[in-house]
Amino acid sequence: MGCQFSKLKPCCWNSQFKAAVLEAPDIDNEEKSDVDYLHRFCEFTFEQLKNATSGFAVEYIVSEHGEKAPNVVYKGKLENQRRIAVKRFNRMAWPDARQFLEEARLVGQLRNRRLVNLLGCCCEGDERLLVAEYMPNETLAKHLFHWETQPMKWAMRLRVVLHLAQALEYCTSKGRALYHDLNAYRILFDEDGNPRISTFGLMKNSRDGKSYSTNLAFTPPEYLRTGRVTPESVIYSFGTLLLDLLSGKHIPPSHALDLIRDRNLQMLTDSCLEGQLSDDATELVRLASRCLQSEPRERPNPKSLVASLTPLQKETELSFQMWTDQMQETLDSKEKGDSAFKQKDFRTTIECYSQFIDVGTMVSPTIFARRGLSYLMNDMPQEALNDAMQAQVISPIWHIASYLQAAALSALGMDNEAQAALKEGTMLEAKRNAAAAKK
């Protein structure tokens, strides 16, 4: 591992380290206290990341992008129990190892409390992977577009846009003004409920990859002409995010600008925010229209965005705290369920996981599988079957879901169906093992 990288960057490697440490990141004094818990950017082995993600198991997938050969993001846990997010690029991406490592190293030097900081990378053979902090509280897209219990409070939306502007200002000050495909899926919430921007977007999906994967209706007009992203293009994307936060929907900029010109702001603002909006909304509309100007030079820069958004953060702490408290209660119920499952306290497992699922957050297939097994242990096979089927809906190729269905069907006396589910699970497991053996 160390020797491989030393061909690209001369230095002395100590064999006792499992990850090769690069130079210290550039951290301003006023920021250091917020991020000094982070280790220096390092190079991981492929085996380390494979173990951290249980062999890149499908149930560890957080998100995936692309059509024929997706770049997939997995959650994982290192040997020291640190939780991480691992982005695995497709094999056609970044053919030049030197270029990938140098680009990752430069992004890895950034350290800021507004970023999902990059912790390291891996470059072995055809493999290209990035490792970042793990954010446990979902994406802005999830909370904004797919909520099921209560919409995001206006105070929190204001907090998001300020944090985002501050992140862009920091990156610009460090010479990383280009951000690729800025959208609501790139904003994640940390363990305290604070919004951060993913550093994965500071690198393209590949050396020659496209900078935007979203619908063309949301793409900066100059990118459509030249195929190149500029700092002003990032501001345009920031404007589309302002529209998202105002409306609670993904409205095409051209349509939104028509509504603004017609002063039809009622159609532009989220109906769920009735009674919460103030003059702040008018200011956000004004900022959005400036960011979406067709001429790039007429758009504001990150520093002016921060200056405009900072005064809007009035009396938001209570609303923010209430929102994060509710999120923390949801996480607590999941953690209690995890603990109860490990202790084989299946009744408590059912109760805690049910609380977590009922909140409407995005649930992994593992949670449904664990609750399903707990139902089986409490002689509730129909409920177990329902959870097994739900796990399969989320992860169609996960063999455990099929095995759990087989057990539930057998308990219900449906032997033929149980045999079919068992056969399917065996086939899926064989495929998974075969794929793992090729890696």
Side-chain angles (χ1 to χ4, degrees), residues 155-190:
M156 190 58 188
R157 300 187 197 207
L158 291 175
R159 178 67 62 94
V160 168
V161 292
L162 176 62
H163 281 208
L164 177 54
Q166 289 172 334
L168 295 179
E169 182 185 24
Y170 169 79
C171 292
T172 299
S173 73
K174 299 301 181 183
R176 304 292 305 190
L178 301 185
Y179 195 96
H180 305 278
D181 203 13
L182 179 61
N183 58 60
Y185 291 92
R186 300 281 199 180
I187 315 301
L188 302 102
F189 292 87
D190 63 21

PDB file of all heavy atoms in Angstrom, residues 155-190:
ATOM      1  N   ALA A 155     -37.133  27.786  10.128  1.00  0.00           N
ATOM      2  CA  ALA A 155     -35.867  28.140  10.782  1.00  0.00           C
ATOM      3  C   ALA A 155     -34.742  27.207  10.337  1.00  0.00           C
ATOM      4  O   ALA A 155     -33.605  27.635  10.134  1.00  0.00           O
ATOM      5  CB  ALA A 155     -36.027  28.080  12.303  1.00  0.00           C
ATOM      6  N   MET A 156     -35.071  25.925  10.162  1.00  0.00           N
ATOM      7  CA  MET A 156     -34.056  24.965   9.741  1.00  0.00           C
ATOM      8  C   MET A 156     -33.659  25.197   8.288  1.00  0.00           C
ATOM      9  O   MET A 156     -32.495  25.026   7.918  1.00  0.00           O
ATOM     10  CB  MET A 156     -34.573  23.538   9.931  1.00  0.00           C
ATOM     11  CG  MET A 156     -33.498  22.485   9.741  1.00  0.00           C
ATOM     12  SD  MET A 156     -32.125  22.737  10.870  1.00  0.00           S
ATOM     13  CE  MET A 156     -30.977  21.536  10.257  1.00  0.00           C
ATOM     14  N   ARG A 157     -34.601  25.594   7.467  1.00  0.00           N
ATOM     15  CA  ARG A 157     -34.288  25.874   6.061  1.00  0.00           C
ATOM     16  C   ARG A 157     -33.331  27.058   5.964  1.00  0.00           C
ATOM     17  O   ARG A 157     -32.410  27.067   5.132  1.00  0.00           O
ATOM     18  CB  ARG A 157     -35.578  26.130   5.280  1.00  0.00           C
ATOM     19  CG  ARG A 157     -36.535  24.940   5.320  1.00  0.00           C
ATOM     20  CD  ARG A 157     -37.739  25.113   4.411  1.00  0.00           C
ATOM     21  NE  ARG A 157     -38.806  24.170   4.764  1.00  0.00           N
ATOM     22  CZ  ARG A 157     -39.720  23.711   3.940  1.00  0.00           C
ATOM     23  NH1 ARG A 157     -39.742  24.122   2.691  1.00  0.00           N
ATOM     24  NH2 ARG A 157     -40.659  22.860   4.346  1.00  0.00           N
ATOM     25  N   LEU A 158     -33.553  28.053   6.813  1.00  0.00           N
ATOM     26  CA  LEU A 158     -32.631  29.188   6.839  1.00  0.00           C
ATOM     27  C   LEU A 158     -31.242  28.745   7.303  1.00  0.00           C
ATOM     28  O   LEU A 158     -30.219  29.239   6.806  1.00  0.00           O
ATOM     29  CB  LEU A 158     -33.166  30.283   7.766  1.00  0.00           C
ATOM     30  CG  LEU A 158     -34.416  31.030   7.294  1.00  0.00           C
ATOM     31  CD1 LEU A 158     -34.897  31.991   8.379  1.00  0.00           C
ATOM     32  CD2 LEU A 158     -34.143  31.789   5.998  1.00  0.00           C
ATOM     33  N   ARG A 159     -31.223  27.831   8.260  1.00  0.00           N
ATOM     34  CA  ARG A 159     -29.940  27.317   8.740  1.00  0.00           C
ATOM     35  C   ARG A 159     -29.198  26.578   7.616  1.00  0.00           C
ATOM     36  O   ARG A 159     -27.983  26.710   7.461  1.00  0.00           O
ATOM     37  CB  ARG A 159     -30.181  26.383   9.927  1.00  0.00           C
ATOM     38  CG  ARG A 159     -28.924  25.720  10.515  1.00  0.00           C
ATOM     39  CD  ARG A 159     -28.014  26.746  11.167  1.00  0.00           C
ATOM     40  NE  ARG A 159     -28.670  27.407  12.269  1.00  0.00           N
ATOM     41  CZ  ARG A 159     -28.573  27.035  13.545  1.00  0.00           C
ATOM     42  NH1 ARG A 159     -27.869  25.971  13.860  1.00  0.00           N
ATOM     43  NH2 ARG A 159     -29.169  27.724  14.489  1.00  0.00           N
ATOM     44  N   VAL A 160     -29.918  25.814   6.836  1.00  0.00           N
ATOM     45  CA  VAL A 160     -29.304  25.057   5.740  1.00  0.00           C
ATOM     46  C   VAL A 160     -28.627  25.987   4.741  1.00  0.00           C
ATOM     47  O   VAL A 160     -27.475  25.770   4.350  1.00  0.00           O
ATOM     48  CB  VAL A 160     -30.357  24.175   5.030  1.00  0.00           C
ATOM     49  CG1 VAL A 160     -29.790  23.620   3.718  1.00  0.00           C
ATOM     50  CG2 VAL A 160     -30.794  23.027   5.929  1.00  0.00           C
ATOM     51  N   VAL A 161     -29.336  27.039   4.298  1.00  0.00           N
ATOM     52  CA  VAL A 161     -28.764  27.896   3.255  1.00  0.00           C
ATOM     53  C   VAL A 161     -27.555  28.658   3.770  1.00  0.00           C
ATOM     54  O   VAL A 161     -26.590  28.885   3.033  1.00  0.00           O
ATOM     55  CB  VAL A 161     -29.812  28.874   2.665  1.00  0.00           C
ATOM     56  CG1 VAL A 161     -30.842  28.109   1.877  1.00  0.00           C
ATOM     57  CG2 VAL A 161     -30.469  29.727   3.723  1.00  0.00           C
ATOM     58  N   LEU A 162     -27.561  29.052   5.052  1.00  0.00           N
ATOM     59  CA  LEU A 162     -26.397  29.745   5.601  1.00  0.00           C
ATOM     60  C   LEU A 162     -25.205  28.800   5.678  1.00  0.00           C
ATOM     61  O   LEU A 162     -24.095  29.152   5.255  1.00  0.00           O
ATOM     62  CB  LEU A 162     -26.705  30.305   6.990  1.00  0.00           C
ATOM     63  CG  LEU A 162     -25.506  30.976   7.689  1.00  0.00           C
ATOM     64  CD1 LEU A 162     -25.019  32.171   6.883  1.00  0.00           C
ATOM     65  CD2 LEU A 162     -25.850  31.381   9.112  1.00  0.00           C
ATOM     66  N   HIS A 163     -25.407  27.598   6.189  1.00  0.00           N
ATOM     67  CA  HIS A 163     -24.310  26.631   6.286  1.00  0.00           C
ATOM     68  C   HIS A 163     -23.749  26.307   4.909  1.00  0.00           C
ATOM     69  O   HIS A 163     -22.533  26.161   4.735  1.00  0.00           O
ATOM     70  CB  HIS A 163     -24.790  25.358   6.973  1.00  0.00           C
ATOM     71  CG  HIS A 163     -24.861  25.479   8.468  1.00  0.00           C
ATOM     72  ND1 HIS A 163     -24.716  24.394   9.312  1.00  0.00           N
ATOM     73  CD2 HIS A 163     -25.057  26.550   9.271  1.00  0.00           C
ATOM     74  CE1 HIS A 163     -24.831  24.792  10.568  1.00  0.00           C
ATOM     75  NE2 HIS A 163     -25.047  26.097  10.560  1.00  0.00           N
ATOM     76  N   LEU A 164     -24.622  26.169   3.938  1.00  0.00           N
ATOM     77  CA  LEU A 164     -24.184  25.871   2.586  1.00  0.00           C
ATOM     78  C   LEU A 164     -23.352  27.016   2.011  1.00  0.00           C
ATOM     79  O   LEU A 164     -22.289  26.794   1.415  1.00  0.00           O
ATOM     80  CB  LEU A 164     -25.394  25.591   1.696  1.00  0.00           C
ATOM     81  CG  LEU A 164     -25.132  25.335   0.215  1.00  0.00           C
ATOM     82  CD1 LEU A 164     -24.114  24.224   0.025  1.00  0.00           C
ATOM     83  CD2 LEU A 164     -26.429  24.997  -0.508  1.00  0.00           C
ATOM     84  N   ALA A 165     -23.822  28.245   2.198  1.00  0.00           N
ATOM     85  CA  ALA A 165     -23.077  29.406   1.707  1.00  0.00           C
ATOM     86  C   ALA A 165     -21.718  29.502   2.398  1.00  0.00           C
ATOM     87  O   ALA A 165     -20.701  29.809   1.760  1.00  0.00           O
ATOM     88  CB  ALA A 165     -23.889  30.682   1.937  1.00  0.00           C
ATOM     89  N   GLN A 166     -21.685  29.221   3.693  1.00  0.00           N
ATOM     90  CA  GLN A 166     -20.414  29.257   4.426  1.00  0.00           C
ATOM     91  C   GLN A 166     -19.459  28.180   3.921  1.00  0.00           C
ATOM     92  O   GLN A 166     -18.249  28.406   3.823  1.00  0.00           O
ATOM     93  CB  GLN A 166     -20.675  29.086   5.926  1.00  0.00           C
ATOM     94  CG  GLN A 166     -21.340  30.291   6.567  1.00  0.00           C
ATOM     95  CD  GLN A 166     -21.772  30.030   7.997  1.00  0.00           C
ATOM     96  OE1 GLN A 166     -22.022  28.876   8.387  1.00  0.00           O
ATOM     97  NE2 GLN A 166     -21.875  31.082   8.796  1.00  0.00           N
ATOM     98  N   ALA A 167     -19.995  27.009   3.590  1.00  0.00           N
ATOM     99  CA  ALA A 167     -19.156  25.937   3.048  1.00  0.00           C
ATOM    100  C   ALA A 167     -18.560  26.340   1.706  1.00  0.00           C
ATOM    101  O   ALA A 167     -17.362  26.127   1.454  1.00  0.00           O
ATOM    102  CB  ALA A 167     -19.983  24.657   2.893  1.00  0.00           C
ATOM    103  N   LEU A 168     -19.375  26.947   0.843  1.00  0.00           N
ATOM    104  CA  LEU A 168     -18.877  27.377  -0.467  1.00  0.00           C
ATOM    105  C   LEU A 168     -17.850  28.498  -0.321  1.00  0.00           C
ATOM    106  O   LEU A 168     -16.858  28.543  -1.052  1.00  0.00           O
ATOM    107  CB  LEU A 168     -20.041  27.838  -1.342  1.00  0.00           C
ATOM    108  CG  LEU A 168     -21.065  26.756  -1.732  1.00  0.00           C
ATOM    109  CD1 LEU A 168     -22.173  27.365  -2.584  1.00  0.00           C
ATOM    110  CD2 LEU A 168     -20.392  25.606  -2.467  1.00  0.00           C
ATOM    111  N   GLU A 169     -18.079  29.399   0.646  1.00  0.00           N
ATOM    112  CA  GLU A 169     -17.111  30.479   0.876  1.00  0.00           C
ATOM    113  C   GLU A 169     -15.780  29.902   1.342  1.00  0.00           C
ATOM    114  O   GLU A 169     -14.711  30.325   0.888  1.00  0.00           O
ATOM    115  CB  GLU A 169     -17.650  31.455   1.918  1.00  0.00           C
ATOM    116  CG  GLU A 169     -16.705  32.628   2.175  1.00  0.00           C
ATOM    117  CD  GLU A 169     -17.177  33.540   3.292  1.00  0.00           C
ATOM    118  OE1 GLU A 169     -17.940  33.078   4.166  1.00  0.00           O
ATOM    119  OE2 GLU A 169     -16.775  34.720   3.294  1.00  0.00           O
ATOM    120  N   TYR A 170     -15.821  28.928   2.244  1.00  0.00           N
ATOM    121  CA  TYR A 170     -14.587  28.292   2.723  1.00  0.00           C
ATOM    122  C   TYR A 170     -13.844  27.611   1.579  1.00  0.00           C
ATOM    123  O   TYR A 170     -12.633  27.790   1.400  1.00  0.00           O
ATOM    124  CB  TYR A 170     -14.904  27.276   3.819  1.00  0.00           C
ATOM    125  CG  TYR A 170     -13.719  26.402   4.174  1.00  0.00           C
ATOM    126  CD1 TYR A 170     -12.705  26.877   4.999  1.00  0.00           C
ATOM    127  CD2 TYR A 170     -13.610  25.111   3.654  1.00  0.00           C
ATOM    128  CE1 TYR A 170     -11.606  26.085   5.312  1.00  0.00           C
ATOM    129  CE2 TYR A 170     -12.510  24.310   3.960  1.00  0.00           C
ATOM    130  CZ  TYR A 170     -11.515  24.802   4.783  1.00  0.00           C
ATOM    131  OH  TYR A 170     -10.421  24.019   5.080  1.00  0.00           O
ATOM    132  N   CYS A 171     -14.568  26.805   0.793  1.00  0.00           N
ATOM    133  CA  CYS A 171     -13.931  26.088  -0.319  1.00  0.00           C
ATOM    134  C   CYS A 171     -13.316  27.068  -1.316  1.00  0.00           C
ATOM    135  O   CYS A 171     -12.204  26.847  -1.822  1.00  0.00           O
ATOM    136  CB  CYS A 171     -14.944  25.183  -1.013  1.00  0.00           C
ATOM    137  SG  CYS A 171     -15.501  23.785  -0.013  1.00  0.00           S
ATOM    138  N   THR A 172     -14.034  28.155  -1.597  1.00  0.00           N
ATOM    139  CA  THR A 172     -13.507  29.171  -2.523  1.00  0.00           C
ATOM    140  C   THR A 172     -12.228  29.788  -1.975  1.00  0.00           C
ATOM    141  O   THR A 172     -11.259  29.999  -2.715  1.00  0.00           O
ATOM    142  CB  THR A 172     -14.566  30.260  -2.767  1.00  0.00           C
ATOM    143  OG1 THR A 172     -15.735  29.654  -3.351  1.00  0.00           O
ATOM    144  CG2 THR A 172     -14.047  31.332  -3.707  1.00  0.00           C
ATOM    145  N   SER A 173     -12.198  30.049  -0.674  1.00  0.00           N
ATOM    146  CA  SER A 173     -11.005  30.658  -0.060  1.00  0.00           C
ATOM    147  C   SER A 173      -9.805  29.731  -0.103  1.00  0.00           C
ATOM    148  O   SER A 173      -8.663  30.173  -0.029  1.00  0.00           O
ATOM    149  CB  SER A 173     -11.304  31.046   1.399  1.00  0.00           C
ATOM    150  OG  SER A 173     -11.380  29.892   2.226  1.00  0.00           O
ATOM    151  N   LYS A 174     -10.062  28.422  -0.231  1.00  0.00           N
ATOM    152  CA  LYS A 174      -8.987  27.438  -0.305  1.00  0.00           C
ATOM    153  C   LYS A 174      -8.689  27.010  -1.739  1.00  0.00           C
ATOM    154  O   LYS A 174      -7.993  26.025  -1.971  1.00  0.00           O
ATOM    155  CB  LYS A 174      -9.359  26.201   0.525  1.00  0.00           C
ATOM    156  CG  LYS A 174      -9.571  26.493   2.003  1.00  0.00           C
ATOM    157  CD  LYS A 174      -8.333  27.077   2.640  1.00  0.00           C
ATOM    158  CE  LYS A 174      -8.541  27.355   4.115  1.00  0.00           C
ATOM    159  NZ  LYS A 174      -7.359  27.999   4.729  1.00  0.00           N
ATOM    160  N   GLY A 175      -9.242  27.735  -2.695  1.00  0.00           N
ATOM    161  CA  GLY A 175      -8.960  27.436  -4.095  1.00  0.00           C
ATOM    162  C   GLY A 175      -9.747  26.291  -4.671  1.00  0.00           C
ATOM    163  O   GLY A 175      -9.371  25.727  -5.699  1.00  0.00           O
ATOM    164  N   ARG A 176     -10.870  25.915  -4.034  1.00  0.00           N
ATOM    165  CA  ARG A 176     -11.712  24.831  -4.531  1.00  0.00           C
ATOM    166  C   ARG A 176     -13.114  25.367  -4.788  1.00  0.00           C
ATOM    167  O   ARG A 176     -14.098  24.933  -4.185  1.00  0.00           O
ATOM    168  CB  ARG A 176     -11.779  23.674  -3.521  1.00  0.00           C
ATOM    169  CG  ARG A 176     -10.441  23.102  -3.119  1.00  0.00           C
ATOM    170  CD  ARG A 176      -9.739  22.374  -4.235  1.00  0.00           C
ATOM    171  NE  ARG A 176     -10.521  21.330  -4.849  1.00  0.00           N
ATOM    172  CZ  ARG A 176     -10.014  20.448  -5.708  1.00  0.00           C
ATOM    173  NH1 ARG A 176      -8.741  20.509  -6.050  1.00  0.00           N
ATOM    174  NH2 ARG A 176     -10.793  19.524  -6.247  1.00  0.00           N
ATOM    175  N   ALA A 177     -13.223  26.314  -5.675  1.00  0.00           N
ATOM    176  CA  ALA A 177     -14.512  26.970  -5.940  1.00  0.00           C
ATOM    177  C   ALA A 177     -15.451  26.136  -6.801  1.00  0.00           C
ATOM    178  O   ALA A 177     -16.640  26.416  -6.862  1.00  0.00           O
ATOM    179  CB  ALA A 177     -14.277  28.322  -6.610  1.00  0.00           C
ATOM    180  N   LEU A 178     -14.929  25.114  -7.469  1.00  0.00           N
ATOM    181  CA  LEU A 178     -15.759  24.308  -8.365  1.00  0.00           C
ATOM    182  C   LEU A 178     -16.410  23.159  -7.603  1.00  0.00           C
ATOM    183  O   LEU A 178     -15.727  22.338  -6.983  1.00  0.00           O
ATOM    184  CB  LEU A 178     -14.922  23.749  -9.521  1.00  0.00           C
ATOM    185  CG  LEU A 178     -14.220  24.785 -10.410  1.00  0.00           C
ATOM    186  CD1 LEU A 178     -13.544  24.090 -11.587  1.00  0.00           C
ATOM    187  CD2 LEU A 178     -15.203  25.826 -10.900  1.00  0.00           C
ATOM    188  N   TYR A 179     -17.728  23.136  -7.648  1.00  0.00           N
ATOM    189  CA  TYR A 179     -18.468  22.044  -7.016  1.00  0.00           C
ATOM    190  C   TYR A 179     -19.372  21.452  -8.087  1.00  0.00           C
ATOM    191  O   TYR A 179     -20.103  22.173  -8.757  1.00  0.00           O
ATOM    192  CB  TYR A 179     -19.298  22.551  -5.833  1.00  0.00           C
ATOM    193  CG  TYR A 179     -19.783  21.437  -4.937  1.00  0.00           C
ATOM    194  CD1 TYR A 179     -19.088  21.092  -3.792  1.00  0.00           C
ATOM    195  CD2 TYR A 179     -20.931  20.716  -5.265  1.00  0.00           C
ATOM    196  CE1 TYR A 179     -19.527  20.053  -2.978  1.00  0.00           C
ATOM    197  CE2 TYR A 179     -21.369  19.671  -4.463  1.00  0.00           C
ATOM    198  CZ  TYR A 179     -20.657  19.342  -3.321  1.00  0.00           C
ATOM    199  OH  TYR A 179     -21.086  18.300  -2.529  1.00  0.00           O
ATOM    200  N   HIS A 180     -19.350  20.130  -8.219  1.00  0.00           N
ATOM    201  CA  HIS A 180     -20.025  19.464  -9.330  1.00  0.00           C
ATOM    202  C   HIS A 180     -21.391  18.932  -8.925  1.00  0.00           C
ATOM    203  O   HIS A 180     -21.512  18.131  -7.999  1.00  0.00           O
ATOM    204  CB  HIS A 180     -19.144  18.332  -9.863  1.00  0.00           C
ATOM    205  CG  HIS A 180     -17.777  18.796 -10.245  1.00  0.00           C
ATOM    206  ND1 HIS A 180     -17.507  19.381 -11.461  1.00  0.00           N
ATOM    207  CD2 HIS A 180     -16.612  18.824  -9.554  1.00  0.00           C
ATOM    208  CE1 HIS A 180     -16.225  19.719 -11.516  1.00  0.00           C
ATOM    209  NE2 HIS A 180     -15.662  19.395 -10.362  1.00  0.00           N
ATOM    210  N   ASP A 181     -22.412  19.417  -9.631  1.00  0.00           N
ATOM    211  CA  ASP A 181     -23.781  18.924  -9.438  1.00  0.00           C
ATOM    212  C   ASP A 181     -24.277  19.153  -8.013  1.00  0.00           C
ATOM    213  O   ASP A 181     -24.687  18.223  -7.319  1.00  0.00           O
ATOM    214  CB  ASP A 181     -23.858  17.440  -9.794  1.00  0.00           C
ATOM    215  CG  ASP A 181     -25.286  17.018 -10.148  1.00  0.00           C
ATOM    216  OD1 ASP A 181     -26.122  17.907 -10.354  1.00  0.00           O
ATOM    217  OD2 ASP A 181     -25.549  15.806 -10.214  1.00  0.00           O
ATOM    218  N   LEU A 182     -24.237  20.395  -7.576  1.00  0.00           N
ATOM    219  CA  LEU A 182     -24.747  20.754  -6.255  1.00  0.00           C
ATOM    220  C   LEU A 182     -26.264  20.592  -6.238  1.00  0.00           C
ATOM    221  O   LEU A 182     -26.973  21.199  -7.032  1.00  0.00           O
ATOM    222  CB  LEU A 182     -24.360  22.203  -5.939  1.00  0.00           C
ATOM    223  CG  LEU A 182     -24.840  22.774  -4.602  1.00  0.00           C
ATOM    224  CD1 LEU A 182     -24.275  21.977  -3.437  1.00  0.00           C
ATOM    225  CD2 LEU A 182     -24.441  24.246  -4.503  1.00  0.00           C
ATOM    226  N   ASN A 183     -26.763  19.754  -5.329  1.00  0.00           N
ATOM    227  CA  ASN A 183     -28.206  19.525  -5.236  1.00  0.00           C
ATOM    228  C   ASN A 183     -28.554  19.056  -3.834  1.00  0.00           C
ATOM    229  O   ASN A 183     -27.676  18.918  -2.967  1.00  0.00           O
ATOM    230  CB  ASN A 183     -28.666  18.512  -6.293  1.00  0.00           C
ATOM    231  CG  ASN A 183     -27.949  17.181  -6.171  1.00  0.00           C
ATOM    232  OD1 ASN A 183     -28.027  16.524  -5.133  1.00  0.00           O
ATOM    233  ND2 ASN A 183     -27.247  16.757  -7.215  1.00  0.00           N
ATOM    234  N   ALA A 184     -29.835  18.810  -3.593  1.00  0.00           N
ATOM    235  CA  ALA A 184     -30.303  18.491  -2.245  1.00  0.00           C
ATOM    236  C   ALA A 184     -29.789  17.149  -1.732  1.00  0.00           C
ATOM    237  O   ALA A 184     -29.820  16.900  -0.525  1.00  0.00           O
ATOM    238  CB  ALA A 184     -31.838  18.495  -2.220  1.00  0.00           C
ATOM    239  N   TYR A 185     -29.300  16.286  -2.630  1.00  0.00           N
ATOM    240  CA  TYR A 185     -28.744  15.014  -2.191  1.00  0.00           C
ATOM    241  C   TYR A 185     -27.313  15.171  -1.691  1.00  0.00           C
ATOM    242  O   TYR A 185     -26.768  14.251  -1.082  1.00  0.00           O
ATOM    243  CB  TYR A 185     -28.788  13.991  -3.328  1.00  0.00           C
ATOM    244  CG  TYR A 185     -30.193  13.569  -3.675  1.00  0.00           C
ATOM    245  CD1 TYR A 185     -30.904  14.234  -4.677  1.00  0.00           C
ATOM    246  CD2 TYR A 185     -30.823  12.531  -3.003  1.00  0.00           C
ATOM    247  CE1 TYR A 185     -32.212  13.869  -4.994  1.00  0.00           C
ATOM    248  CE2 TYR A 185     -32.127  12.154  -3.318  1.00  0.00           C
ATOM    249  CZ  TYR A 185     -32.810  12.830  -4.311  1.00  0.00           C
ATOM    250  OH  TYR A 185     -34.097  12.466  -4.609  1.00  0.00           O
ATOM    251  N   ARG A 186     -26.704  16.309  -1.976  1.00  0.00           N
ATOM    252  CA  ARG A 186     -25.324  16.562  -1.552  1.00  0.00           C
ATOM    253  C   ARG A 186     -25.255  17.188  -0.162  1.00  0.00           C
ATOM    254  O   ARG A 186     -24.171  17.372   0.381  1.00  0.00           O
ATOM    255  CB  ARG A 186     -24.634  17.506  -2.540  1.00  0.00           C
ATOM    256  CG  ARG A 186     -24.550  16.998  -3.973  1.00  0.00           C
ATOM    257  CD  ARG A 186     -23.453  15.999  -4.157  1.00  0.00           C
ATOM    258  NE  ARG A 186     -23.092  15.853  -5.556  1.00  0.00           N
ATOM    259  CZ  ARG A 186     -22.163  15.035  -6.004  1.00  0.00           C
ATOM    260  NH1 ARG A 186     -21.510  14.277  -5.164  1.00  0.00           N
ATOM    261  NH2 ARG A 186     -21.886  14.961  -7.288  1.00  0.00           N
ATOM    262  N   ILE A 187     -26.394  17.548   0.395  1.00  0.00           N
ATOM    263  CA  ILE A 187     -26.435  18.145   1.725  1.00  0.00           C
ATOM    264  C   ILE A 187     -26.891  17.064   2.702  1.00  0.00           C
ATOM    265  O   ILE A 187     -27.949  16.464   2.530  1.00  0.00           O
ATOM    266  CB  ILE A 187     -27.416  19.339   1.798  1.00  0.00           C
ATOM    267  CG1 ILE A 187     -27.241  20.263   0.583  1.00  0.00           C
ATOM    268  CG2 ILE A 187     -27.254  20.084   3.105  1.00  0.00           C
ATOM    269  CD1 ILE A 187     -25.869  20.838   0.419  1.00  0.00           C
ATOM    270  N   LEU A 188     -26.073  16.824   3.728  1.00  0.00           N
ATOM    271  CA  LEU A 188     -26.380  15.781   4.698  1.00  0.00           C
ATOM    272  C   LEU A 188     -26.373  16.360   6.110  1.00  0.00           C
ATOM    273  O   LEU A 188     -25.791  17.407   6.364  1.00  0.00           O
ATOM    274  CB  LEU A 188     -25.360  14.641   4.604  1.00  0.00           C
ATOM    275  CG  LEU A 188     -25.244  13.967   3.232  1.00  0.00           C
ATOM    276  CD1 LEU A 188     -24.000  14.490   2.506  1.00  0.00           C
ATOM    277  CD2 LEU A 188     -25.152  12.456   3.366  1.00  0.00           C
ATOM    278  N   PHE A 189     -27.017  15.642   7.030  1.00  0.00           N
ATOM    279  CA  PHE A 189     -27.114  16.099   8.409  1.00  0.00           C
ATOM    280  C   PHE A 189     -26.281  15.209   9.321  1.00  0.00           C
ATOM    281  O   PHE A 189     -26.383  13.977   9.261  1.00  0.00           O
ATOM    282  CB  PHE A 189     -28.579  16.099   8.861  1.00  0.00           C
ATOM    283  CG  PHE A 189     -29.410  17.131   8.153  1.00  0.00           C
ATOM    284  CD1 PHE A 189     -30.019  16.849   6.938  1.00  0.00           C
ATOM    285  CD2 PHE A 189     -29.556  18.398   8.681  1.00  0.00           C
ATOM    286  CE1 PHE A 189     -30.777  17.797   6.270  1.00  0.00           C
ATOM    287  CE2 PHE A 189     -30.316  19.363   8.021  1.00  0.00           C
ATOM    288  CZ  PHE A 189     -30.926  19.068   6.820  1.00  0.00           C
ATOM    289  N   ASP A 190     -25.455  15.854  10.155  1.00  0.00           N
ATOM    290  CA  ASP A 190     -24.569  15.091  11.036  1.00  0.00           C
ATOM    291  C   ASP A 190     -25.311  14.608  12.276  1.00  0.00           C
ATOM    292  O   ASP A 190     -26.531  14.753  12.393  1.00  0.00           O
ATOM    293  CB  ASP A 190     -23.318  15.904  11.390  1.00  0.00           C
ATOM    294  CG  ASP A 190     -23.641  17.176  12.183  1.00  0.00           C
ATOM    295  OD1 ASP A 190     -24.726  17.251  12.795  1.00  0.00           O
ATOM    296  OD2 ASP A 190     -22.796  18.095  12.203  1.00  0.00           O
TER     297      ASP A 190
END
